[in-house]
Amino acid sequence: MDIPGVFECTVLVLLLMAGVWFTARMKFYPLLHLKEVFRRTIGGFSAPKGEQKKGVSAFEAAATSLAGTMGTGNIVGVAAALAAGGPGAVLWMVIGALFGMAVKYAEIVLGILYRRRNSGGEFRGGPMYYMEDGLKWKHMAKAFALLCAVSAVGTGNLTQVNAAAGAIHAAFPLPVWLVGLVMALFCLAVSNGGMKRVGKVMGIVMPVISVGYLAGCLWVIVCCYRDIPMVLAEIWRSAFGIRPAASGLLGLTLMRAMRYGLARGVFSHEAGMGSAPIAHGGADCKTPQEQGLWGMLEVFWDTVIGCTTTALVLLLAAPEGLFGGLEDVEWTSEAFSRWFGTGGEWFVSLSLAVFAAAALVSWWVYGSQAVEYLAGSDREKNQRWQRRYLIFYLVGTVAGSMVKMSLVWKISDLLNCCMILPNLAALVLLSGQIKNPPAPQKKRREKLLGFRRQY
């Protein structure tokens, strides 16, 4: 019996159920008012005006959080999900993300409500704080912080570096350990500036690389536009096991599509894991609700847009990858190469390297703040632990470029589920303190009603 697999499936189903419950509790705000989410975030930048002394802006916090989600999950994770769960996995990714928007909103709001200032005057937030202060779960908070510090090395370090090193090595004659070393030095350079530098770098890197990558995806999709209806129909059939086969096979197809779609979706958007509140906890924001909207935007941009476009590229340009002929990065590179030539492989390799480097920095933030929480108020102890953790993290970056990828994915999925379970319990128990997002503007509706009354 596959006990880790059963545990993973159980946690993912609980996460999906929690997403449905939070979405209903919010009166389906994430699904009905996406335009309002965009308007209140990138439409106007909700950061307060004036000088920022200690925190990062709302946009920089969101970019830091997005750096930890968008990248390997979008390029490698999507290919892995399709290969293991079939075309239907992408639909379950999207379903999980649409309901995951409410979960990420909830955890960011709680992260802002219960955040504290550290000895340097900077804000620190995350599940550790709302578990300890909101529920008096001090031991669980420490356990979560320990899991976060370990997961940062697995999910945010090994998987990112391994995928990027493999892609760079395939496209250019560079040894994988050298790629790992360069990425470790990049992480060291950015992390030495603290959250302010991390926020500024991510605020520049993430918009440029994410828009550039999505533009490449859209070009391939447009080139293959004739096959889009057929691919969409196959995704629908595969997602719900609608095939002329024995009932047992139907059930197996459905379960595989659901399991791998939800699992890779969580790896990509991280809703429910508790990582996002750590990045958003340092934001200079007007209200917790306004900052929570940035979390909704992250999930939508990362998974509903990013993962879906990658999946369509794979299924349209290189559908033979479904039958095991190509794996992970090779599949994505082959799909782009058919429309961009040799430049397609370079495009995927460089995109993945930049995404992975950004994720490496983002997850260092999560891990280091988890270590800071474990160290407590002792400043010297915290500095000592931080130095040791940074060395361990950087060594892991170099070593991660040379480990076996399949094992890393399994460990990462298990660590993700271990983080989700206590965080999800805390979110549900503290849900009464989570206020709904600001109501959509009704000016246009009122104007229309006034026009109708006149006639």
Side-chain angles (χ1 to χ4, degrees), residues 49-251:
K49 305 298 181 183
E51 183 183 0
Q52 296 173 6
K53 296 181 179 179
K54 293 293 182 182
V56 296
S57 71
F59 173 73
E60 290 171 347
T64 303
S65 180
L66 186 64
T69 62
M70 194 167 187
T72 302
N74 295 78
I75 299 176
V76 181
V78 172
L82 292 176
V90 67
L91 183 56
W92 284 106
M93 273 189 182
V94 173
I95 292 172
L98 289 174
F99 290 111
M101 292 168 69
V103 176
K104 183 166 273 196
Y105 171 85
E107 58 186 355
I108 290 174
V109 169
L110 286 178
I112 298 293
L113 285 175
Y114 284 96
R115 65 183 179 178
R116 307 174 187 171
R117 288 191 184 273
N118 64 5
S119 57
E122 296 177 318
F123 277 121
R124 292 290 184 262
M128 305 85 71
Y129 299 101
Y130 55 73
M131 285 180 187
E132 179 180 349
D133 297 339
L135 296 170
K136 310 304 178 185
W137 288 359
K138 191 168 185 177
H139 295 299
M140 182 60 74
K142 289 183 176 180
F144 180 89
L146 181 61
L147 278 171
C148 183
V150 175
S151 185
V153 179
T155 301
N157 190 332
L158 298 180
T159 53
Q160 311 291 340
V161 176
N162 190 281
I168 292 292
H169 177 71
F172 307 98
L174 294 174
V176 290
W177 65 265
L178 181 59
V179 178
L181 180 61
V182 171
M183 294 181 70
L185 293 175
F186 172 79
C187 180
L188 179 62
V190 178
S191 63
N192 272 341
M195 275 300 297
K196 292 286 285 185
R197 182 182 294 177
V198 170
K200 290 187 180 301
V201 172
M202 295 303 106
I204 296 172
V205 171
M206 288 311 298
V208 173
I209 187 60
S210 59
V211 170
Y213 175 73
L214 289 173
C217 289
L218 290 174
W219 175 260
V220 176
I221 292 170
V222 169
C223 291
C224 303
Y225 73 94
R226 287 190 177 88
D227 295 328
I228 292 176
M230 179 183 67
V231 167
L232 293 178
E234 181 61 25
I235 288 173
W236 180 265
R237 287 194 296 267
S238 177
F240 299 104
I242 306 173
R243 291 180 176 279
S247 58
L249 185 58
L250 291 177

Side-chain angles (χ1 to χ4, degrees), residues 89-431:
V90 67
L91 183 56
W92 284 106
M93 273 189 182
V94 173
I95 292 172
L98 289 174
F99 290 111
M101 292 168 69
V103 176
K104 183 166 273 196
Y105 171 85
E107 58 186 355
I108 290 174
V109 169
L110 286 178
I112 298 293
L113 285 175
Y114 284 96
R115 65 183 179 178
R116 307 174 187 171
R117 288 191 184 273
N118 64 5
S119 57
E122 296 177 318
F123 277 121
R124 292 290 184 262
M128 305 85 71
Y129 299 101
Y130 55 73
M131 285 180 187
E132 179 180 349
D133 297 339
L135 296 170
K136 310 304 178 185
W137 288 359
K138 191 168 185 177
H139 295 299
M140 182 60 74
K142 289 183 176 180
F144 180 89
L146 181 61
L147 278 171
C148 183
V150 175
S151 185
V153 179
T155 301
N157 190 332
L158 298 180
T159 53
Q160 311 291 340
V161 176
N162 190 281
I168 292 292
H169 177 71
F172 307 98
L174 294 174
V176 290
W177 65 265
L178 181 59
V179 178
L181 180 61
V182 171
M183 294 181 70
L185 293 175
F186 172 79
C187 180
L188 179 62
V190 178
S191 63
N192 272 341
M195 275 300 297
K196 292 286 285 185
R197 182 182 294 177
V198 170
K200 290 187 180 301
V201 172
M202 295 303 106
I204 296 172
V205 171
M206 288 311 298
V208 173
I209 187 60
S210 59
V211 170
Y213 175 73
L214 289 173
C217 289
L218 290 174
W219 175 260
V220 176
I221 292 170
V222 169
C223 291
C224 303
Y225 73 94
R226 287 190 177 88
D227 295 328
I228 292 176
M230 179 183 67
V231 167
L232 293 178
E234 181 61 25
I235 288 173
W236 180 265
R237 287 194 296 267
S238 177
F240 299 104
I242 306 173
R243 291 180 176 279
S247 58
L249 185 58
L250 291 177
L252 179 62
T253 303
L254 172 60
M255 290 305 297
R256 287 178 67 86
M258 182 184 294
R259 175 185 174 181
Y260 289 102
L262 292 176
R264 293 294 171 262
V266 169
F267 180 87
S268 183
H269 59 66
E270 296 175 12
M273 280 180 59
S275 55
I278 298 175
H280 288 269
D284 284 327
C285 55
K286 294 178 181 178
T287 65
Q289 292 74 35
E290 290 283 355
Q291 193 64 30
L293 293 178
W294 283 99
M296 286 190 191
L297 179 68
E298 287 168 28
V299 177
F300 186 83
W301 182 263
D302 170 80
T303 306
V304 178
I305 296 178
C307 289
T308 301
T309 52
T310 299
L312 289 175
V313 167
L314 295 174
L315 296 173
L316 288 167
E320 67 273 15
L322 288 170
F323 308 106
L326 299 167
E327 294 184 2
D328 301 342
V329 181
E330 294 178 2
W331 187 2
T332 311
S333 297
E334 177 64 22
F336 277 95
S337 296
R338 292 184 180 180
W339 291 98
F340 292 104
T342 307
E345 187 175 4
W346 296 348
F347 174 76
V348 171
S349 300
L350 293 176
S351 297
L352 185 55
V354 176
F355 276 132
L360 194 67
V361 175
S362 179
W363 272 94
W364 171 82
V365 171
Y366 303 155
S368 66
Q369 291 195 22
V371 170
E372 181 180 334
Y373 174 83
L374 291 170
S377 57
D378 189 331
R379 190 165 187 174
E380 291 184 4
K381 182 180 178 182
N382 176 45
Q383 292 176 346
R384 187 170 63 252
W385 284 22
Q386 290 286 354
R387 285 194 297 269
R388 292 174 181 175
Y389 184 75
L390 180 58
I391 293 171
F392 177 70
Y393 193 82
L394 296 177
V395 170
T397 302
V398 180
S401 62
M402 299 177 282
V403 298
K404 189 176 180 181
M405 193 64 178
S406 58
L407 178 62
V408 173
W409 277 114
K410 291 179 182 179
I411 294 173
S412 297
D413 286 343
L414 188 60
L415 288 171
N416 290 351
C417 290
C418 289
M419 289 177 65
I420 289 170
L421 209 53
N423 184 51
L424 209 57
L427 293 178
V428 172
L429 292 174
L430 293 172
S431 60

